[in-house]
Amino acid sequence: MLNFVIFGPPGAGKGTQSEKLIDKYQLIHISTGDLFRAHISNQTTLGQKVSALIADGQLVPDEITIAMLEEEVDKNPSAKGFIFDGFPRTVPQAIALDEFLESKGSSIAGVIALDVDQDELTKRIAERQKLTNRVDDQADKLQKRIEEYFSKTIHVLPYYEEQQKLSKVNGIGNIDDIFAELCAVIDKY
Ligand code: AMP
């Protein structure tokens, strides 16, 4: 299996680029944010448990998120590989993912971090809010998500840097140019 993590703050373009990558490389896209939103709209027990946290822009506890992620991977036993989007967001999640993949004789091949400055992120999310009306894209909730990113999620980067798996890509510019840069990274594997 060829597994990648696409990493970056809210609004970096992880979802957009993941869609293009799965098309080209026939990988399975797992977005924990999308999975949570599906649970919430289907009003599952899990959805009911996490909806207030997500609406508030807080991270869902690791054990819940990890269990959901592992279940999703297990639904795709014949996958060529996965693009993990929005996961891992904490170091314990990154460790759990490594252990889980190792138990399947697999691993993370590479981590691609999309680099986008704060002004551009705020602008993009304001645009997205008009289109999707996500409650957690509202200004105060967005602020909370950005704080969660800089207090917890950013520490995942050195974790992968130490494993020499991290590639940084400029996430500002034309979507196709950014995509070409991502492909150049993936094609090295
Ligand atoms: P996203 O669509 O990736 O921005 O995720 C939306 C929200 O889902 C986040 O703000 C968190 O509340 C929750 N979430 C998604 N992925 C994770 C994760 N890996 N760990 C904890 N919470 C998550």
Side-chain angles (χ1 to χ4, degrees):
M1 280 200 299
L2 198 56
N3 304 308
F4 292 91
V5 172
I6 186 151
F7 192 90
K14 301 185 296 292
T16 305
Q17 293 296 339
S18 296
E19 288 306 323
K20 292 173 76 69
L21 290 171
I22 55 168
D23 242 26
K24 175 161 175 165
Y25 294 98
Q26 273 104 51
L27 301 171
I28 304 273
H29 177 210
I30 298 188
S31 154
T32 41
D34 286 350
L35 291 174
F36 282 132
R37 281 184 287 279
H39 275 284
I40 292 168
S41 68
N42 294 330
Q43 300 185 329
T44 66
T45 311
L46 174 60
Q48 284 164 4
K49 212 188 267 180
V50 301
S51 71
L53 284 174
I54 291 181
D56 193 44
Q58 296 182 52
L59 291 187
V60 173
D62 285 337
E63 58 278 17
I64 296 179
T65 309
I66 291 165
M68 179 182 73
L69 184 282
E70 293 184 355
E71 193 186 311
E72 198 62 24
V73 169
D74 283 337
K75 282 185 194 161
N76 297 279
S78 51
K80 276 176 63 182
F82 294 89
I83 303 249
F84 298 107
D85 161 5
F87 185 97
R89 259 174 157 102
T90 64
V91 172
Q93 288 180 16
I95 294 169
L97 181 60
D98 275 350
E99 289 173 355
F100 177 63
L101 291 175
E102 199 183 329
S103 75
K104 297 178 175 301
S106 188
S107 62
I108 292 294
V111 177
I112 306 171
L114 287 170
D115 218 4
V116 177
D117 66 54
Q118 181 84 52
D119 284 353
E120 175 73 13
L121 293 175
T122 313
K123 215 164 62 191
R124 287 186 189 179
I125 298 215
E127 282 306 307
R128 182 168 81 185
Q129 226 264 320
K130 287 186 209 153
L131 296 174
T132 65
N133 211 18
R134 268 178 61 168
V135 287
D136 60 345
D137 278 346
Q138 287 163 9
D140 54 332
K141 311 301 181 202
L142 171 64
Q143 194 49 42
K144 180 82 207 162
R145 287 163 64 209
I146 291 174
E147 277 167 31
E148 291 282 71
Y149 179 80
F150 286 106
S151 65
K152 295 175 185 152
T153 305
I154 199 94
H155 305 298
V156 173
L157 287 177
Y159 176 83
Y160 286 119
E161 207 157 24
E162 274 166 30
Q163 297 185 18
Q164 295 172 331
K165 289 182 176 170
L166 183 67
S167 305
K168 288 187 183 163
V169 168
N170 179 6
I172 298 187
N174 178 289
I175 289 177
D176 290 329
D177 293 344
I178 299 167
F179 180 60
E181 279 198 55
L182 295 185
C183 294
V185 172
I186 291 183
D187 289 340
K188 286 192 214 136
Y189 290 93

